Amino acid sequence: MNLPFGWLQFAQNRFKRQQKPPDGRRKTPFWSWVWFIGGTLYLALPLLATFSFSLQMKRDTISLQAYKSAFADPAFINSFLFSIGLATVTIIASIALIVPTAYWIRLRLPQARRTVEFITLLPFVIPAIILVFGLIRIYSQPLSIPFTSLSMGQSLTNSKYGTLILIVAGYMVLGLPYMYRSIDTGMRTVDVRTLTEAAQSLGANWYTIMTRVILPNLRTALLSGALLTFAIVVGEVVLASYLGVAAFGPYLFLLGQHRAFEPAALTFATFLLTWIAMGIIQLVTGGQGQTTGAH
Amino acid sequence: MAETALPSLKVKRSKPDWRVWLGVLPFFLFALLFLILPSLKLFVGSFTNDKGQLTLNNILQLITQQSILDSYWLSIKISAVTAIGGGLIGFLLAYSVTVGGLPKILRPILITFSGVASNFAGVPLAFAFVATLGRTGFITYLLSHFLNLKIYDAGFNLYSFLGLSLTYMYFQFPLMILIMAPALDGLKPEWREAAENLGATGTQYWLRVALPILLPTILGTMILLFGNAFGAYATAYALTGGALPIITIQIGAQIRGDVLHNPGLGYAMALGMVVIMGISLLGYSLLQGRTERWLK
Amino acid sequence: MRTNKFGIQLVVSLVVLATILSACGAPAAPAATQAPAVSAMDQLVADAKKEGMLTTIALPHDWCNYGEAIQAFKDKYGIQVNELNPDGGSGDEIEAIKANMNNTGPQAPDVVDVGYSFGEANKDLFQPYKVSTWATIPDSAKSPDGYWYGDYYGVMSFLVNTDIQPKVPQDWGDLTDPAYKGQVALSGDPRVSNQAIQAVYASALANGGSLDNAQPGLDFFAKVNQAGNLVPVISNNGLVAKGETPVRITWDYNGLAAIDSFNGNPKAVLVVPKTGRFGGVYVQAISKYAPHPNAAKLWMEYLYSDEGQLTWMKGYCHPIREADLRARSVVPADLAAKLPDVTGAVFPTDAQMSAAKDLIIKDWDSAVGADVKAAP
């Protein structure tokens, strides 16, 4: 089946989509409900079980004691907020790195694609503990250009900002598979080649294309990637522990090791909090319905 | 598929080759500095023994020791099962909230939940499943009290391959949902209409139009799911301890264990994982090449 | 004559000095070296304060009451304490030292607290230091050159959730009782975790084995597994409280700390098995590459002072200087009463430990490992 895909057709489609969503959804959603309810049950039950356990800290009664006890610690809020901050920086840096790369590969350099995909799958198979030890070994010495006497004053690990750079880079690496895959899928879906051609024929330069055509169209993909990265960073333990950063993951571990009810309370609470934070991000970025660009 | 050849496209192609590679330079530099170099420094460790001398022993042990080969196989099995199972169910869920006709509010709820759930792993996830399906679990209790179905007596055991797969699915479906939802968005309703105008039924539409378009993305995401499960460690350790000796647990035992402590072997095993991922990626590339053949 | 008088005065004052100083309970060192040690301590405090930071690793706050020890150290000396990787095991700590050899940043651990068998084996990663109370540490628990030194010990016991399981096992043999079907769990994987390995080793003592023969331990656990009693999940206090693993095999201090944190919900008891009492010692050491060596030494001085040792005792650990503390009646009666009776506990030597470890790791899979999931 040959799908007509000239840019004229494309523009027509875009115009149509700005109207109320056409009725491609006219099938009775019976099966959809089946999958959805089944899926929701599967996803919700373990959480509910954790929640129900967390309420049992006081004998024979339901109480929020576990939550009170867990939240009474100021380190909880501090580390949680700190991790949220780290996550935000990681997301922005990842987008800035990956979107142009994925775009470039799609448009101009398809031969690099397999290599880049392989690299993006590496973080899966390289255990975080190997990564963090490698980072420490390399960056505990001041960066220098080999064979010259040029070097940075202090090693990255020795300064607070240096360590933050290291951990953000580490988080970017951990989120790489997800971010790249989301963005790549988004680009495939949106057909960036045609978009670019259309924009170029209208006289746009690269910067305009990127910011006013490509990025807005990638909204859902970017959101997916951002959500994933956010969850990864907030829950991450190994990198933060070994690099000595006061993030949320190590805090949760420090607390959760020997306590019985507080970890369940914290697990449930942070799940909820992260979910709400993501909901807010979604609202702020305009949610799902819009595929029109930024004006 | 006809590519409308605009003059501007031809002009671009006359630029010298090497400059095109500059576009991906930042990425490669980043990957080199923060991913490849640190890993290399330690992969070199796979060629050293615990006294620091160079040796091929670790690699040798890798390919000859039956228990290590068994571990790789077990890891591959569980990753494949959860990639396919998770992929399928995740796809159905993504379908249901995008083109499936459910109320629009459900989509952002599911998507944001998936964002959090896809990273829910390790001890908290293991505990949540124990609290649900363990011997004293909530569902176990409900089933035995209301349906008189004692699942443990019937042979079910959470602390098994089945139980671990069920647990892994918890972060696999959401991942699939997150990546498929934007892809499903790309299924233009006009195509559906066009198909129906030509007399296609719903099934034919899916089999001949929608699935072929989605197949590269589905396959690509399944590979991601495979890698995700392949590299998982904390959840398996928490749930089944060492009883299911998947390769990541073996690596953990060598590198961080209190007792075994032959890090060189651990690094060699990690190297093996990279090789396996590489082979899967190759397989996926071939598949993708064929399915993408007729797309632009 | 004047010389004589002077000589006598000198001798008399030296004798008086020696008597006074030896009455201070100092180690049996020549009196002349005792006097400088007092100001050496002040010097150490000053140097440590100048460094301003101490980096520790793998010290959970609920383990032996480290939380209180760390806070007290911070309060007493005003030195910041940087806590790395609270979930780590001994292997992690050693890896962290190796990875940070060239690093003077806060990622490099200054001090470690590792399992007994990690002491001598990693001697070349440590720097020697003998705390001022060195002599009161039993010889079997320290390196003669001062590279590592035992800090506390515990005895392998059972933590039982009595709400779920009112029938409390009193000894290792009881664990094969059908009443405990699907209820018994270790606190780690015996191929990886120090605690789990020592649990298996401990059970050997009650089943016809000895410190030189750990095989009966493996056989015993195989029996427990065959009976369907062993659950492969890594037990922790959450699982005990939930009732999923109502019988957890762990160190006595962990069990007692858990009972405290449960605070009656659930009700739980700690049982030190009647036979097969196995003592596990942990050791302290200062990293050779420690960025803050003086803070590290001060930390050691604190831990090995009476105050430090009693803090550990509050966490239900038996501090290594326990005999000395008791002899000098420094232990408050209520604290002493809280510790369980562990008479008859035996301690393996380094050689015995290595042999047992090797055996258990090698044979766990074939004896027990692969079959555990079959328990219905």
Side-chain angles (χ1 to χ4, degrees):
Chain A
M1 212 182 202
N2 226 349
L3 296 165
F5 237 90
W7 65 271
L8 190 66
Q9 180 74 13
F10 168 84
Q12 270 185 321
N13 289 345
R14 290 254 309 182
F15 175 67
K16 270 204 198 141
R17 240 196 290 168
Q18 277 175 11
Q19 299 166 333
K20 71 165 165 49
D23 199 19
R25 304 157 184 204
R26 51 175 171 264
K27 310 184 357 197
T28 53
F30 169 71
W31 283 110
S32 297
W33 279 111
V34 168
W35 306 128
F36 184 77
I37 292 181
T40 309
L41 273 178
Y42 172 82
L43 290 174
L45 281 175
L47 267 188
L48 287 175
T50 309
F51 179 59
S52 124
F53 181 67
S54 71
L55 292 176
Q56 292 169 16
M57 185 151 176
K58 278 219 190 104
R59 212 179 160 68
D60 296 331
T61 60
I62 301 212
S63 83
L64 289 175
Q65 182 58 38
Y67 292 89
K68 282 193 216 136
S69 158
F71 290 173
D73 192 353
F76 166 67
I77 271 292
N78 289 339
S79 56
F80 194 59
L81 287 178
F82 182 63
S83 283
I84 292 184
L86 279 178
T88 313
V89 176
T90 308
I91 291 172
I92 296 175
S94 294
I95 292 180
L97 180 71
I98 297 177
V99 171
T101 308
Y103 179 68
W104 199 257
I105 289 181
R106 250 182 196 274
L107 237 49
R108 307 277 223 95
L109 208 55
Q111 33 315 24
R113 183 135 164 225
R114 295 290 170 254
T115 321
V116 171
E117 279 191 351
F118 180 70
I119 292 180
T120 61
L121 288 177
L122 277 181
F124 276 149
V125 291
I126 295 176
I129 198 168
I130 288 188
L131 184 67
V132 74
F133 278 147
L135 283 174
I136 290 179
R137 283 196 163 108
I138 295 184
Y139 296 104
S140 53
Q141 287 151 321
L143 291 179
S144 61
I145 307 183
F147 311 117
T148 65
S149 54
L150 291 168
S151 82
M152 227 168 87
Q154 247 193 349
S155 67
L156 277 181
T157 49
N158 224 336
S159 72
K160 181 166 160 207
Y161 288 111
T163 313
L164 286 179
I165 292 178
L166 272 184
I167 201 164
V168 169
Y171 285 155
M172 282 169 73
V173 167
L174 289 181
L176 198 58
Y178 309 99
M179 200 50 128
Y180 181 80
R181 187 65 46 171
S182 284
I183 292 176
D184 193 52
T185 304
M187 290 199 169
R188 183 204 309 272
T189 307
V190 173
D191 183 17
V192 286
R193 186 174 285 269
T194 316
L195 274 177
T196 314
E197 289 172 21
Q200 276 182 326
S201 70
L202 289 169
N205 60 20
W206 285 113
Y207 179 71
T208 312
I209 295 178
M210 195 52 90
T211 55
R212 299 188 66 188
V213 179
I214 305 293
L215 278 181
N217 273 294
L218 286 179
R219 211 168 234 167
T220 44
L222 288 181
L223 196 66
S224 292
L227 297 186
L228 282 166
T229 308
F230 187 86
I232 290 175
V233 171
V234 169
E236 207 281 329
V237 181
V238 179
L239 251 61
S241 290
Y242 281 102
L243 285 173
V245 171
F248 186 63
Y251 168 79
L252 197 60
F253 253 90
L254 187 62
L255 195 77
Q257 264 210 325
H258 293 249
R259 296 296 157 94
F261 299 93
E262 284 91 330
L266 274 179
T267 301
F268 184 75
T270 47
F271 200 102
L272 217 57
L273 281 172
T274 314
W275 191 11
I276 292 174
M278 290 192 171
I280 295 178
I281 295 179
Q282 266 237 323
L283 275 175
V284 164
T285 58
Q288 238 66 57
Q290 298 169 348
T291 46
T292 52
H295 295 297
Chain B
M1 188 259 40
E3 201 176 272
T4 46
L6 293 172
S8 52
L9 207 57
K10 293 227 170 83
V11 169
K12 282 179 219 139
R13 294 231 170 90
S14 68
K15 268 209 187 117
D17 249 10
W18 65 268
R19 276 218 251 158
V20 184
W21 286 88
L22 276 183
V24 290
L25 189 65
F27 178 80
F28 279 121
L29 201 63
F30 173 80
L32 186 74
L33 280 179
F34 296 109
L35 176 59
I36 299 180
L37 275 184
S39 322
L40 270 184
K41 212 161 170 42
L42 283 130
F43 282 145
V44 164
S46 34
F47 296 100
T48 55
N49 61 14
D50 38 0
K51 288 172 199 49
Q53 303 154 332
L54 276 179
T55 172
L56 278 178
N57 267 348
N58 295 327
I59 309 284
L60 219 60
Q61 206 177 347
L62 205 68
I63 51 185
T64 54
Q65 193 172 318
Q66 190 57 36
S67 65
I68 296 184
L69 292 173
D70 286 341
S71 288
Y72 274 120
W73 180 235
L74 188 61
S75 280
I76 292 177
K77 262 199 310 195
I78 200 168
S79 307
V81 164
T82 55
I84 295 175
L88 212 59
I89 303 181
F91 177 76
L92 289 169
L93 270 172
Y95 162 79
S96 71
V97 291
T98 48
V99 295
L102 291 180
K104 297 233 291 206
I105 187 68
L106 290 180
R107 178 180 170 153
I109 295 179
L110 184 64
I111 297 284
T112 43
F113 188 91
S114 300
V116 196
S118 63
N119 201 50
F120 190 46
V123 173
L125 180 63
F127 184 81
F129 266 84
V130 167
T132 313
L133 283 170
R135 267 165 219 284
T136 56
F138 162 59
I139 293 292
T140 315
Y141 170 79
L142 284 179
L143 285 176
S144 88
H145 258 244
F146 293 113
L147 292 180
N148 218 8
L149 182 63
K150 298 195 190 342
I151 53 179
Y152 274 83
D153 290 344
F156 171 77
N157 187 353
L158 182 67
Y159 310 112
S160 62
F161 184 87
L162 175 64
L164 191 62
S165 307
L166 271 178
T167 312
Y168 270 24
M169 300 283 202
Y170 201 87
F171 50 75
Q172 298 284 59
F173 311 157
L175 191 55
M176 189 70 175
I177 294 173
L178 279 174
I179 299 187
M180 282 314 294
L184 280 164
D185 274 345
L187 279 182
K188 300 187 179 13
E190 292 80 17
W191 300 343
R192 179 78 192 243
E193 288 167 18
E196 287 184 350
N197 280 344
L198 290 168
T201 62
T203 322
Q204 281 179 316
Y205 165 70
W206 277 101
L207 278 179
R208 302 284 209 91
V209 183
L211 277 181
I213 294 176
L214 292 172
L215 209 55
T217 311
I218 294 179
L219 287 177
T221 317
M222 281 198 185
I223 260 269
L224 198 71
L225 291 179
F226 180 85
N228 202 18
F230 201 55
Y233 168 71
T235 311
Y237 187 70
L239 190 69
T240 51
L244 281 176
I246 55 178
I247 193 68
T248 44
I249 288 196
Q250 296 272 42
I251 295 178
Q254 298 295 347
I255 293 184
R256 49 186 310 242
D258 285 349
V259 280
L260 283 173
H261 219 60
N262 178 3
L265 184 59
Y267 303 142
M269 291 197 261
L271 196 61
M273 282 177 78
V274 176
V275 168
I276 292 180
M277 260 335 273
I279 295 176
S280 334
L281 190 63
L282 218 62
Y284 152 71
S285 296
L286 289 171
L287 266 176
Q288 195 184 42
R290 296 188 54 182
T291 56
E292 256 186 357
R293 220 175 15 190
W294 62 278
L295 283 178
K296 69 218 112 8
Chain C
M1 220 160 66
R2 241 174 79 198
T3 333
N4 262 349
K5 217 169 166 190
F6 180 67
I8 293 171
Q9 277 174 352
L10 187 59
V11 168
V12 165
S13 18
L14 276 178
V15 167
V16 167
L17 195 60
T19 322
I20 294 175
L21 291 175
S22 61
C24 289
T33 58
Q34 189 52 32
V38 174
S39 60
M41 181 65 174
D42 289 337
Q43 183 62 42
L44 182 62
V45 174
D47 289 338
K49 283 190 178 166
K50 233 181 349 173
E51 284 172 356
M53 176 152 65
L54 173 75
T55 305
T56 62
I57 183 170
L59 298 183
H61 284 191
D62 284 336
W63 180 288
C64 283
N65 201 18
Y66 260 116
E68 190 180 318
I70 293 174
Q71 189 59 47
F73 181 75
K74 284 203 281 210
D75 293 338
K76 188 163 180 183
Y77 298 111
I79 296 176
Q80 191 194 341
V81 176
N82 198 19
E83 302 178 56
L84 297 178
N85 197 13
D87 186 43
S90 303
D92 288 325
E93 301 182 56
I94 300 295
E95 267 312 292
I97 293 184
K98 287 195 208 165
N100 285 287
M101 280 200 266
N102 298 313
N103 187 12
T104 52
Q107 298 82 13
D110 291 311
V111 292
V112 292
D113 179 9
V114 291
Y116 186 66
S117 52
F118 283 78
E120 192 63 21
N122 294 296
K123 213 165 83 163
D124 42 343
L125 293 175
F126 305 144
Q127 52 174 294
Y129 180 68
K130 295 189 182 178
V131 287
S132 48
T133 51
W134 183 255
T136 57
I137 303 174
D139 286 334
S140 57
K142 65 191 182 192
S143 140
D145 309 316
Y147 281 96
W148 51 267
Y149 15 95
D151 42 25
Y152 51 80
Y153 71 88
V155 173
M156 195 57 72
S157 324
F158 313 139
L159 171 65
V160 185
N161 177 341
T162 47
D163 279 340
I164 304 281
Q165 179 53 272
K167 182 175 175 187
V168 179
Q170 296 299 324
D171 200 354
W172 291 102
D174 293 343
L175 294 180
T176 49
D177 190 319
Y180 304 113
K181 194 156 192 178
Q183 295 190 340
V184 182
L186 290 167
S187 300
D189 174 14
R191 290 163 307 163
V192 178
S193 149
N194 203 33
Q195 211 181 146
I197 275 235
Q198 307 219 38
V200 181
Y201 194 5
S203 67
L205 299 175
N207 284 288
S210 70
L211 286 181
D212 290 305
N213 179 18
Q215 183 62 40
L218 280 169
D219 299 334
F220 172 72
F221 270 93
K223 262 203 311 199
V224 176
N225 184 33
Q226 291 294 19
N229 291 3
L230 189 63
V231 194
V233 71
I234 307 277
S235 182
N236 57 37
N237 295 334
L239 286 171
V240 173
K242 179 87 186 57
E244 189 72 15
T245 60
V247 180
R248 177 186 173 195
I249 305 177
T250 181
W251 294 118
D252 56 351
Y253 46 83
N254 283 335
L256 289 167
I259 296 176
D260 275 356
S261 80
F262 289 162
N263 203 17
N265 183 32
K267 293 209 180 68
V269 297
L270 184 87
V271 180
V272 179
K274 286 211 186 71
T275 61
R277 295 187 170 187
F278 180 90
V281 181
Y282 277 79
V283 304
Q284 293 274 339
I286 302 181
S287 159
K288 191 156 102 175
Y289 310 101
H292 317 104
N294 292 307
K297 291 176 185 166
L298 186 61
W299 171 244
M300 294 303 176
E301 288 293 345
Y302 174 75
L303 289 176
Y304 286 88
S305 67
D306 287 355
E307 187 186 338
Q309 298 275 295
L310 287 176
T311 308
W312 273 336
M313 211 167 191
K314 274 199 241 170
Y316 306 106
C317 292
H318 293 264
I320 206 74
R321 288 180 52 226
E322 190 180 2
D324 178 60
L325 292 173
R326 283 187 193 265
R328 293 188 293 122
S329 307
V330 186
V331 184
D334 54 346
L335 193 55
K338 276 195 186 161
L339 286 180
D341 172 27
V342 294
T343 43
V346 291
F347 297 82
T349 62
D350 208 13
Q352 289 169 325
M353 180 81 84
S354 306
K357 245 171 41 175
D358 289 340
L359 178 67
I360 293 172
I361 303 166
K362 210 165 44 93
D363 290 348
W364 175 261
D365 263 333
S366 49
V368 181
D371 292 332
V372 189
K373 60 182 186 285

